[in-house]
Amino acid sequence: MLDLYKHLISQEYAGSLCMLGLCVDRCPEELWQVKIATYPFSQSAFHVLFFTDLYLSRSIEDQRLNPFHVEHAAWFANYEQLEEREPTTTYERDDIQRYVRFCREKAERVVVAETAESLAAPAGFDWRNCTQAELHVYNIRHIQHHAAQLSLRLRLDAGIDIPWVSHGWREV
């Protein structure tokens, strides 16, 4: 059963991140900084990737010490995503594309390494009272929520359709 769960979760991370990546790739330049609900397109994409990355970590400190964060310190300098205020930093498309790839690879590594014990353990974030297994499902739902927002904006404002990716990563 554990292997089945890990396969399912890995495929759903890949599918949802693929759809998010398609939104990022296909967003016209004129929409890149236009507000989508609360944040501009680039911030919305960064927001979901930041929390995907965080929830694939065991703690905020674990995330901050990750070599990817150290290498891209300018993106994460103030960790404004964790503050109770609207973020102000905007991001370049190639940075967000790089972050999508990083999160995809991290999701694969983290899910493969899960054990029955680690999945049953508390998630490790005081604002998410759930197990690690539930946090994975929550994380995927969060990715898909924002991918849907970005996809709708692309459809309404630019006539760009983002295809549904049922599971797994696929090049479209």
Side-chain angles (χ1 to χ4, degrees):
M1 186 58 126
L2 177 61
D3 288 340
L4 176 63
Y5 174 84
K6 290 182 349 179
H7 175 75
L8 175 128
I9 292 300
S10 179
Q11 291 294 298
E12 293 303 314
Y13 268 120
S16 60
L17 287 166
C18 182
M19 290 187 72
L20 180 67
L22 289 169
C23 291
V24 169
D25 293 347
R26 295 180 181 182
C27 180
E29 197 58 42
E30 63 270 14
L31 294 179
W32 188 245
Q33 299 303 344
V34 171
K35 273 199 170 189
I36 310 297
T38 306
Y39 306 139
F41 197 101
S42 76
Q43 283 180 353
S44 185
F46 184 84
H47 161 84
V48 69
L49 291 165
F50 179 87
F51 280 98
T52 298
D53 180 12
L54 178 62
Y55 292 152
L56 287 165
S57 303
R58 295 300 181 207
S59 67
I60 295 170
E61 189 60 24
D62 182 39
Q63 183 188 35
R64 287 179 194 236
L65 296 174
N66 184 295
F68 184 83
H69 283 246
V70 173
E71 180 182 341
H72 299 96
W75 300 352
F76 304 108
N78 60 11
Y79 281 77
E80 68 182 347
Q81 295 292 325
L82 296 173
E83 296 178 12
E84 292 294 323
R85 65 173 176 84
E86 189 169 327
T88 58
T89 307
T90 57
Y91 304 90
E92 299 298 321
R93 183 187 318 268
D94 60 335
D95 296 337
I96 298 297
Q97 290 167 325
R98 192 173 304 118
Y99 205 10
V100 169
R101 287 189 300 274
F102 170 79
C103 286
R104 175 184 172 205
E105 293 165 4
K106 184 175 183 178
E108 289 176 17
R109 282 191 317 274
V110 168
V111 171
V112 164
E114 294 287 18
T115 64
E117 293 77 22
S118 67
L119 289 168
F125 302 98
D126 57 0
W127 62 90
R128 290 281 163 251
N129 185 19
C130 61
T131 65
Q132 187 63 33
E134 185 179 353
L135 187 62
H136 284 309
V137 174
Y138 175 90
N139 207 3
I140 292 164
R141 288 179 52 232
H142 185 238
I143 298 165
Q144 199 59 49
H145 166 76
H146 285 285
Q149 282 182 328
L150 298 176
S151 176
L152 180 61
R153 177 58 54 215
L154 293 175
R155 181 176 291 171
L156 294 176
D157 289 355
I160 296 170
D161 190 34
I162 302 299
W164 175 257
V165 178
S166 59
H167 61 278
W169 187 273
R170 62 179 199 176
E171 300 299 325
V172 181

